[in-house]
Amino acid sequence: MTHRFAPSLFSLFYLTLAVAFTPSISRAVCMDAPFFNTSTVRSMAIDETWLFLATNSGKVQRVRKDDASATELVSATQAIEQLTVDANAVYYVLSRFTTDQEFHQIFAVPKIGGASTLIGETTGTIAALRNDDTHLYWMVPSSAGQPDGQIQRIPKSGGSVQTIASNLSSPRDLGFDTSFVYVTESGIDDAPPYGLSRVPKIGGTLTKLFDGRAARLIAAVDGGSVYFSARQTATEDLLFRIATTGGAATAVSDALFDPSQLKRDGGRLLYSVGRFDWTHGSIGYLKAVESGSEFVLYGQPVRTFVADSTAAYAMLGTSLSGRIERLCLNYATAPRVTSLSGGSATGGSVITIFGERFQNGARAVFEGVQGEVLAVTPTEIQVKTPRHAAGIVTFYVINPDGQSTRGSIYYDPSIPNETSRRRSIRR
């Protein structure tokens, strides 16, 4: 069955800093750079080779991680609503409307391209689509003010939809291991009942593991523990760890600021924030926590992201967007920018870039044009900026070993062509 179907600027001197990350030994050094522009992205998935994007314009795209070359796998007449992948296929969701009913259909398309196959459909909304070796799982959100959320599944080969849990109070996220599905509930208006529960994959009794507060995102089910976020204050979450069999929950990080997405891989925690506040405007970032240290990967709002061991691929902004950035995960060895000698420049002005792990021979490249590097120390680079039109300009510091980091500076032609005075802007 085949179908044919920009972050806010708080001031002129706003400095965007992104820190690069640890490359896989088997891969070339990950270059921290803008990655891919497409139409509005609704969902993302990742495997060893490809980034998969579901768009509001009805496309499923496969984008190579090493060169950003793209292939269109699906072109539909309406938005692709959900996306998940396994070793062979991409699974996605479309809506079908009749005169009095809305259906949500699940399709599979081969990752190498080809015809889509209808797996099944349901009248309930499909959220948090996930897969294991044999089945697809998803949540049906609660209707307005009602504890009537569900967890459902269907065989990947097709068949009937099975409801394995019912009467959930605002389910928020799913995770699973070999035997159980784990689900968080935030409660109606963040009021009890809420928490973290598990249910056998085949269906059965829903067992509450945690009911101390509204639970939200599941970072991972790993090593006999579930890592999840739960409300600490009206606007902050904490990350908790609890045994998959239940017991006391232990806080394992400092307070999180209303994360929009949360992931854990081995000892690394990644979380993003992307929201609009009427007082402060667009607020957010992408951060990593590892070995007790916190690293800012991107200093502006990030709606969602996916990650592998080498890089995070982030969708920027507080709402749906089509701009994808690649942020390398080699923060232990890569250079890092912390501040500039001025938040603005003009062509020919000399600025100092402050940071760490700069190497002799480092280059400073301003949107494809190399600046004249005058001096380099491990913590400072003095560079004569190339000419550029007015506006925010992204620059890269690239060490001789290929590792890089990124910042931005405002070009203002009205500034005298002279060395900028030092004005540190730190994150």
Side-chain angles (χ1 to χ4, degrees):
M1 182 174 183
T2 304
H3 300 275
R4 289 297 170 201
F5 302 88
S8 297
L9 181 65
F10 294 110
S11 73
L12 294 181
F13 304 112
Y14 189 90
L15 179 63
T16 302
L17 299 177
V19 182
F21 278 150
T22 297
S24 167
I25 294 176
S26 62
R27 295 174 59 86
V29 171
C30 177
M31 295 295 292
D32 180 23
F35 182 68
F36 189 72
N37 289 323
T38 183
S39 58
T40 305
V41 175
R42 293 179 69 96
S43 184
M44 304 166 64
I46 195 170
D47 67 8
E48 292 182 355
T49 305
W50 306 94
L51 179 69
F52 299 89
L53 306 174
T55 75
N56 217 31
S57 60
K59 300 184 186 303
V60 174
Q61 294 174 300
R62 184 189 68 190
V63 186
R64 283 193 68 92
K65 293 192 291 186
D66 56 2
D67 64 8
S69 59
T71 301
E72 184 177 290
L73 299 179
V74 175
S75 180
T77 57
Q78 71 268 26
I80 307 292
E81 298 172 7
Q82 293 282 322
L83 191 71
T84 188
V85 302
D86 63 14
N88 301 306
V90 181
Y91 303 90
Y92 62 96
V93 178
L94 291 175
S95 294
R96 177 176 71 86
F97 299 91
T98 65
T99 55
D100 58 356
Q101 189 74 61
E102 178 181 1
F103 296 89
H104 298 272
Q105 299 178 305
I106 303 175
F107 294 90
V109 63
K111 289 166 77 171
I112 61 173
S116 294
T117 301
L118 176 64
I119 293 176
E121 69 177 16
T122 178
T123 57
T125 299
I126 295 176
L129 184 68
R130 308 280 191 266
N131 74 89
D132 65 7
D133 291 340
T134 60
H135 285 77
L136 295 163
Y137 300 81
W138 64 89
M139 300 182 315
V140 179
S142 297
S143 53
Q146 299 297 318
D148 56 0
Q150 297 176 331
I151 302 174
Q152 296 181 327
R153 73 173 190 168
I154 193 172
K156 289 181 177 178
S157 57
S160 300
V161 173
Q162 176 191 4
T163 299
I164 63 174
S166 303
N167 303 319
L168 300 175
S169 184
S170 295
R172 293 296 301 271
D173 203 4
L174 289 183
F176 43 73
D177 55 22
T178 57
S179 301
F180 294 93
V181 177
Y182 300 84
V183 59
T184 55
E185 297 171 85
S186 62
I188 306 300
D189 297 325
D190 283 351
Y194 45 41
L196 173 74
S197 302
R198 75 175 191 181
V199 63
K201 284 184 170 181
I202 61 174
T205 302
L206 189 72
T207 301
K208 187 76 72 174
L209 304 180
F210 172 86
D211 61 2
R213 61 196 73 191
R216 297 167 61 79
L217 302 180
I218 293 178
V221 182
D222 180 38
S225 296
V226 184
Y227 294 81
F228 67 100
S229 68
R231 278 301 192 204
Q232 175 72 2
T233 71
T235 58
E236 291 182 324
D237 287 6
L238 281 176
L239 179 70
F240 289 90
R241 181 182 65 236
I242 193 169
T244 54
T245 54
T250 303
V252 294
S253 78
D254 294 332
L256 305 181
F257 182 75
D258 197 15
S260 52
Q261 194 164 354
L262 182 66
K263 296 182 183 296
R264 184 179 183 274
D265 180 15
R268 178 188 294 138
L269 168 70
L270 299 173
Y271 67 93
S272 66
V273 171
R275 72 181 185 90
F276 183 83
D277 182 281
W278 288 105
T279 302
H280 302 98
S282 295
I283 297 173
Y285 42 74
L286 177 63
K287 291 185 178 182
V289 180
E290 188 170 12
S291 301
S293 297
E294 185 172 77
F295 305 88
V296 176
L297 311 182
Y298 194 77
Q300 294 188 40
V302 170
R303 176 181 172 84
T304 189
F305 67 93
V306 291
D308 57 22
S309 61
T310 302
Y313 297 83
M315 187 171 71
L316 307 183
T318 57
S319 59
L320 301 176
S321 72
R323 180 183 169 195
I324 308 297
E325 295 273 353
R326 181 178 60 199
L327 305 168
C328 300
L329 303 179
N330 53 338
Y331 40 77
T333 58
R336 184 169 76 97
V337 172
T338 57
S339 63
L340 297 178
S341 61
S344 56
T346 188
S349 62
V350 176
I351 64 169
T352 301
I353 302 170
F354 300 95
E356 59 187 9
R357 293 188 290 272
F358 300 144
Q359 299 173 358
N360 286 332
R363 295 179 293 132
V365 181
F366 296 75
E367 293 192 352
V369 181
Q370 189 160 307
E372 181 184 352
V373 175
L374 304 176
V376 179
T377 73
T379 58
E380 296 184 14
I381 297 177
Q382 192 176 68
V383 58
K384 186 176 182 180
T385 59
R387 297 194 177 276
H388 197 282
I392 295 291
V393 174
T394 300
F395 67 86
Y396 294 86
V397 174
I398 306 171
N399 278 339
D401 66 4
Q403 297 190 81
S404 66
T405 188
R406 147 178 50 178
S408 66
I409 191 167
Y410 185 77
Y411 263 70
D412 184 351
S414 68
I415 297 174
N417 187 358
E418 61 184 17
T419 301
S420 303
R421 67 184 179 86
R422 175 169 182 168
R423 173 177 19 223
S424 293
I425 303 176
R426 298 183 182 276
R427 291 202 174 278

